[in-house]
Amino acid sequence: MPNFYSPEDIIRPEILALSAYHVPPATGMIKLDAMENPYPLPSALRDEIAQLTLNAPVNRYPDASAATLKATLRQALGIADDMDILLGNGSDEIIQIIAMAVAKPGAVLMSAEPAFVMFRMIATFANIQYAGVPLRKDFSLDLDAMLAAIAQHRPAVIFLAYPNNPTGNLFDPAAIESILQTTSGIVVVDEAYHAFADASFIDKLSQYPNLLLMRTLSKSGLAGLRLGLLIGRSEWLKQLEKVRLPYNIGIMTQLIAEKVLHHTTVLSQQAEAIKSERTKMNTFLGTMRGVEVYPSDANFILFRVNAASQIFQALKQHNILIKNLDGSHPLLENCLRVTVGTPDENSQFCAALRTILSETV
Ligand code: PMP
């Protein structure tokens, strides 16, 4: 019998030191923690999907290049013919593909913090160094600090979410362009929340050879399908394609996403409803004493309270699950993030918060 290794013997120390990405249990709760679209698809469309899936040849591997789905995405999203598309099992997987592809010894992946946590986590998975440059106190990009960090670290890749998670704001596009003009590496503008914002870098793709644009269908209504996409020049995407696992987009995702993308008005109407609820919630939070609310171009709102963890727990007692960001970053002290839900869910959240705040003041 050999002397078996224990995990501590062979797993990398930085993986041993990690905590796994935590998804809290939410059964029976009003779920306002994960930036999902709260609206189901219309029943006629669900019937069509049921027929499609009934006849899906699940004994076969899916189309490895997802050609039909890509063509539909191209149409639905207005992607120029001279740009390529890479598909991921959620945009998380695309971040991983990029990190793995650039992970030379000493390579750096950079972002502006607080940022989407997977940028840092995936850098660790892929054994690449991570540099997080703090945002300013108002959550705007600190361009001087970014340019200094670019000069110091020479990052292979910079991820900037536009709008940003968890702060909800759009960075100054001129600052992002300065970064694109300064860095020698690639810049991934992550437009996960594009459906709720009135701005995009998609038209800049032809201008900047080092710009890649990432989108996802998760926030606009198809989180369960897991489909993210990267748009950019073929010189980059043909290299990244080599790292993509074969058949990473399953047949159900291909069939259903393609069907729904022929009905994008459904998703855009739902996004409009979410945007108008966002305005209402933002106004409500602004009227609460002891609450500082931040403007949002996404489908969630960041706000600051006294004793955030206590309020987060009290909301849970009211069966409402949001995200507690207190302690996750120095700029997020006492911050909570709520996803915009249906009007009824939002009313329940607002009523519960009003009660809790009146009890804790
Ligand atoms: N980018 C940002 C900025 C996000 O907030 C998220 C989800 N929280 C993702 C990417 C990942 O989305 P998905 O993997 O569902 O496409």
Side-chain angles (χ1 to χ4, degrees):
M1 283 281 273
N3 243 343
F4 291 118
Y5 287 133
S6 70
E8 287 72 20
D9 294 323
I10 57 169
I11 306 277
R12 285 189 281 133
E14 57 277 23
I15 302 296
L16 291 171
L18 273 182
S19 307
Y21 185 88
H22 177 61
V23 179
T27 314
M29 303 198 79
I30 296 178
K31 196 171 179 310
L32 302 177
D33 66 325
M35 287 81 114
E36 292 144 323
N37 172 345
Y39 301 106
L41 293 170
S43 64
L45 187 50
R46 275 185 280 151
D47 286 347
E48 282 187 58
I49 289 170
Q51 280 310 312
L52 262 182
T53 55
L54 208 60
N55 297 316
V58 292
N59 54 315
R60 300 285 179 194
Y61 282 114
D63 173 4
S65 62
T68 314
L69 173 57
K70 277 189 184 171
T72 310
L73 276 165
R74 207 175 263 290
Q75 277 245 306
L77 275 60
I79 300 169
D81 289 344
D82 55 348
M83 293 296 153
D84 274 9
I85 303 173
L86 176 141
L87 299 182
N89 188 358
S91 41
D92 285 347
E93 192 186 40
I94 296 176
I95 303 167
Q96 188 182 47
I97 288 172
I98 297 169
M100 285 194 294
V102 302
K104 284 189 196 170
V108 171
L109 182 155
M110 184 180 284
S111 191
E113 295 223 310
F116 178 40
V117 291
M118 293 313 289
F119 298 154
R120 178 192 285 273
M121 287 188 79
I122 289 172
T124 306
F125 303 163
N127 212 3
I128 177 169
Q129 286 181 48
Y130 177 82
V133 180
L135 294 173
R136 293 207 196 89
K137 265 186 102 171
D138 63 357
F139 302 134
S140 61
L141 261 186
D142 187 340
L143 184 58
D144 290 343
M146 285 298 290
L147 297 184
I150 289 167
Q152 182 191 347
H153 297 290
R154 309 207 151 276
V157 52
I158 302 175
F159 281 90
L160 294 171
Y162 186 77
N164 190 40
N165 171 20
T167 56
N169 56 317
L170 284 164
F171 296 137
D172 175 9
I176 298 181
E177 289 203 48
S178 296
I179 290 167
L180 277 160
Q181 287 157 7
T182 308
T183 187
S184 308
I186 47 179
V187 178
V188 180
V189 173
D190 173 1
E191 295 189 349
Y193 300 96
H194 169 69
F196 315 99
D198 297 322
S200 171
F201 267 71
I202 197 157
D203 293 335
K204 301 281 179 195
L205 281 168
S206 54
Q207 198 175 330
Y208 294 104
N210 57 340
L211 171 62
L212 299 174
L213 194 92
M214 194 162 71
R215 294 264 181 97
T216 175
L217 301 191
S218 294
K219 318 298 173 180
S220 53
L222 300 173
L225 289 187
R226 308 299 295 127
L227 186 69
L229 60 150
L230 188 72
I231 309 161
R233 293 178 190 230
S234 67
E235 69 203 59
W236 287 112
L237 266 60
K238 75 177 182 224
Q239 299 301 332
L240 297 172
E241 268 291 339
K242 299 176 188 170
V243 184
R244 184 179 67 84
L245 292 175
Y247 313 118
N248 65 331
I249 312 299
I251 189 165
M252 293 303 178
T253 299
Q254 292 194 32
L255 286 173
I256 301 171
E258 210 239 317
K259 168 63 73 183
V260 177
L261 286 165
H262 283 110
H263 296 81
T264 43
T265 42
V266 168
L267 301 184
S268 49
Q269 280 164 3
Q270 292 179 343
E272 284 309 312
I274 291 167
K275 280 164 75 176
S276 87
E277 279 297 302
R278 175 180 75 195
T279 308
K280 285 193 214 156
M281 282 172 90
N282 205 290
T283 309
F284 164 81
L285 288 165
T287 60
M288 290 280 95
R289 278 238 325 265
V291 174
E292 187 181 359
V293 61
Y294 296 93
S296 169
D297 287 287
N299 62 342
F300 58 85
I301 298 176
L302 184 79
F303 61 103
R304 203 186 293 270
V305 288
N306 299 316
S309 296
Q310 206 182 320
I311 288 171
F312 170 76
Q313 288 302 339
L315 281 165
K316 260 173 68 173
Q317 297 303 312
H318 283 78
N319 237 12
I320 296 169
L321 184 65
I322 64 167
K323 178 86 175 172
N324 183 8
L325 294 161
D326 187 41
S328 65
H329 188 276
L331 289 173
L332 296 177
E333 201 186 334
N334 273 324
C335 281
L336 299 171
R337 186 191 68 199
V338 60
T339 303
V340 180
T342 62
D344 181 49
E345 290 171 336
N346 301 335
S347 306
Q348 293 195 53
F349 160 77
C350 292
L353 185 66
R354 187 195 298 276
T355 308
I356 294 162
L357 286 174
S358 67
E359 284 163 358
T360 51
V361 166

